[in-house]
Amino acid sequence: MASHRRPKQPSRTRVTVLTATAAAAVVLSSQAAHADPKPTKSEVKAKVDKLNQDVEKATEHYDGAKEQQQKLKKEVDDLQDNVARGQQDLNKLRDQLGSLASAQYRSGGIDPSVQLFLSSDPDNFLDKATAQDQLSSQQADAIKKIQAKQRSLAQQRLEAQDKLKDLSATRKKLGDNKKQVQSKLAAANKLLNSLTAAERAALQADDARANRASDRANLGNALPASARGGAALTAAKTQLGKPYVYGATGPNSFDCSGLTSWAYAQAGVSLPRTSQAQANAGTRIYSSSALKPGDLVIFYGDMHHVALYAGNGMVLHAPRTGTNVRYESMGDMPFQFGVRI
């Protein structure tokens, strides 16, 4: 005989679990369908190039903070040396004043009129009295010198304290800039590591081609505008192939402004450390056709990159992280103006 019992209904708990599982599956499948595709080699290269530009900007800020730190440290050291020498001078003045006071005390125990009455040699006593007046005058002068020295030392100490505060702030800024550079470098490396071995090899081949093109660069036969510019360019040429390293000023590695400042130092010219400061180091030349070998060339609107004009539309520079000092076409970067030193 057939059973007429109704089928058992699933429990409310089981229905809830099944519904939640189904919903999660829908969400996951939706996310998978809309997940961003893996970036192509070209997209990664564009992002890495942008990060390298950011690295160079941060590097120039880092270089500027480092230069300011060195300048402030020297000023603080000089002030502290001056204070130490001034304190020695003050101690000598105080010793001299003490000697004058002792001499005055020894000769001033009896009233001058009584000393004259009792003196067996009045003329000799009068000579001594004149000397005593001169001693008091010397004492007054010594006190004035001590007071002036104390005021000077107090002012120098205050100035040194202010410089120390500035130095502390600059050191913090230097550390922050360094962290920013390292963070962007890490982001660029992470992007590069997301590529396949073949894609990374292709990017390396691109750089190798750029280096070979540098070796074959046609610089023309234009002459430098000055002996200084020619000497700087000649010095820079000896550094072809050296790696770019942020904050480096040679001779084993360089960043962009590190190379130009090093090159001009070999020509006997001291340039400021950063590209922005070097942009104001000489006479600006706004026409690229008027550039001469050895002129500085400033790129980008914020002037964060500097190179040396090499001739025939080519520059010699330290391009960016992961590259070496080499020749490249000026047309590869947005030209702002040249600077003739």
Side-chain angles (χ1 to χ4, degrees), residues 290-302:
L291 292 172
K292 298 291 184 182
D295 289 341
L296 298 178
V297 187
I298 306 298
F299 294 99
Y300 299 97
D302 60 359

Side-chain angles (χ1 to χ4, degrees), residues 127-138:
D127 290 340
K128 289 181 179 179
T130 301
Q132 179 68 32
D133 290 340
Q134 291 174 350
L135 189 66
S136 298
S137 175
Q138 291 175 14

Side-chain angles (χ1 to χ4, degrees), residues 56 58-71 174 244-250 253-262 269-281 296 303-306 318:
E56 194 169 27
T59 295
E60 290 301 295
H61 291 309
Y62 170 84
D63 291 341
K66 190 174 182 179
E67 183 181 44
Q68 181 68 6
Q69 179 196 34
Q70 292 168 344
K71 179 182 176 183
L174 183 65
Y244 178 104
V245 174
Y246 81 87
T249 57
S253 56
F254 299 90
D255 61 21
C256 70
S257 55
L259 176 64
T260 51
S261 60
W262 179 89
V269 179
S270 178
L271 287 184
R273 178 62 182 89
T274 66
S275 57
Q276 291 89 349
Q278 290 178 15
N280 297 312
L296 298 178
M303 302 182 292
H304 73 260
H305 190 73
V306 61

Side-chain angles (χ1 to χ4, degrees), residues 56-131:
E56 194 169 27
K57 293 178 187 178
T59 295
E60 290 301 295
H61 291 309
Y62 170 84
D63 291 341
K66 190 174 182 179
E67 183 181 44
Q68 181 68 6
Q69 179 196 34
Q70 292 168 344
K71 179 182 176 183
L72 284 170
K73 187 177 185 308
K74 185 179 185 307
E75 290 176 357
V76 168
D77 289 344
D78 289 345
L79 278 169
Q80 290 176 335
D81 287 345
N82 289 339
V83 167
R85 286 193 296 270
Q87 187 62 52
Q88 290 175 350
D89 294 341
L90 180 59
N91 292 339
K92 289 178 182 177
L93 288 171
R94 283 172 172 163
D95 289 343
Q96 292 170 3
L97 180 60
S99 298
L100 291 172
S102 297
Q104 187 182 48
Y105 175 79
R106 286 193 299 270
S107 64
I110 302 175
D111 183 84
S113 61
V114 176
Q115 290 184 41
L116 178 60
F117 179 77
L118 295 175
S119 175
S120 59
D121 186 355
D123 290 337
N124 184 48
F125 174 77
L126 290 173
D127 290 340
K128 289 181 179 179
T130 301

Side-chain angles (χ1 to χ4, degrees), residues 33 52 72 92 95 101 133 154-155 163 171 194 198 238 243 325 330:
N52 281 329
L72 284 170
K92 289 178 182 177
D95 289 343
D133 290 340
Q155 180 62 35
K163 294 288 184 185
R171 281 175 173 160
S194 71
T238 67
V325 174
M330 279 181 55

